[in-house]
Amino acid sequence: MTEMLRQQLIDTAIAMNASGLNQGTSGNLSIRCDDGFLITPTGMDYAGLAPDDIVPMKLDGDSRGKRKPSSEWRFHAAIYRHRPEANAILHAHPVNCSTLACLNKGIPAFHYMVAAAGGKDIRCAAYATFGTRELSEHVIEALEGRKACLMAHHGLTCFERDLPRVLALAVEVENLADVYCRILAIGDARILADDEMDRVLEKFRTYGVQDA
Ligand SMILES: [Zn+2]
């Protein structure tokens, strides 16, 4: 079982880079397992990863693998502790999410698909040095009632029920960030009304978003 999860994690990490969401080794991915979670190792090219390079961790941060875990293991652990519905976490530095995050901007409801992240906007977490407890606290706060957030002067973090869904959510948020950057370059964004976003969120809860 764990062997299969390790391979799925590697395959999704390779797919993440192939999708253009991430460059090089800056991003990281994890999946919840029985007694904690499995996370990609620090500073290794995904294409060369073998299942035993994946690092098993406990929710308290204890790690056992032969490799060192991603330097961002702390907020992965914090999300699994705080959000029981989170089974897979993706963190990356996609160009458009990072552009907005470097302006300390979140993504407002300029498009109904913003609701795919669980609410009426996608927040930008306050800045703190990578790998710190302070950054974990900011990420947990920005994810309140959401499955995705930007991170100031840094990038994107999101979680989902499984690895295919978390990759799809990251692609969607980066697409929204791309369109929002274009809108900001041309003029002011028009934001959907609160009650319309309530309707969209209700439809997402009832029908899902696969073909919306
Ligand atoms: Zn990062």
Side-chain angles (χ1 to χ4, degrees), residues 22 25-28 70-72 75 91-93 130-131 135 151 154-157:
N22 197 55
T25 60
S26 57
N28 38 73
S70 159
S71 56
E72 296 291 20
F75 68 69
H91 166 68
H93 302 171
F130 76 94
L135 179 60
M151 300 154 74
H154 192 156
L156 163 73
T157 291

Side-chain angles (χ1 to χ4, degrees), residues 2-32:
T2 307
E3 185 76 7
M4 209 173 75
L5 285 180
R6 286 167 185 254
Q7 192 56 52
Q8 280 175 10
L9 200 59
I10 294 170
D11 293 345
T12 309
I14 291 169
M16 169 170 81
N17 279 25
S19 74
L21 272 181
N22 197 55
Q23 287 79 37
T25 60
S26 57
N28 38 73
L29 264 177
S30 70
I31 185 160
R32 195 193 286 272

Side-chain angles (χ1 to χ4, degrees), residues 106-122 171-183 188-194 196-201 204 209 211-212:
I107 305 176
F110 74 91
H111 190 295
Y112 79 91
M113 281 301 287
V114 164
K120 296 179 185 176
D121 59 6
I122 298 169
V171 168
E172 184 57 50
V173 175
E174 172 61 358
N175 179 57
L176 289 164
D178 185 3
V179 177
Y180 189 45
C181 285
R182 290 163 197 256
I183 291 169
D188 295 328
R190 311 274 177 105
I191 308 303
L192 288 166
D194 247 32
E196 175 55 17
M197 285 304 282
D198 283 331
R199 265 193 296 277
V200 173
L201 284 161
F204 277 16
V209 298
D211 57 354

Side-chain angles (χ1 to χ4, degrees), residues 126-145:
Y127 179 78
T129 310
F130 76 94
T132 59
R133 195 178 302 270
E134 194 187 357
L135 179 60
S136 299
E137 287 165 8
H138 294 331
V139 167
I140 293 297
E141 193 180 331
L143 284 174
E144 176 86 47

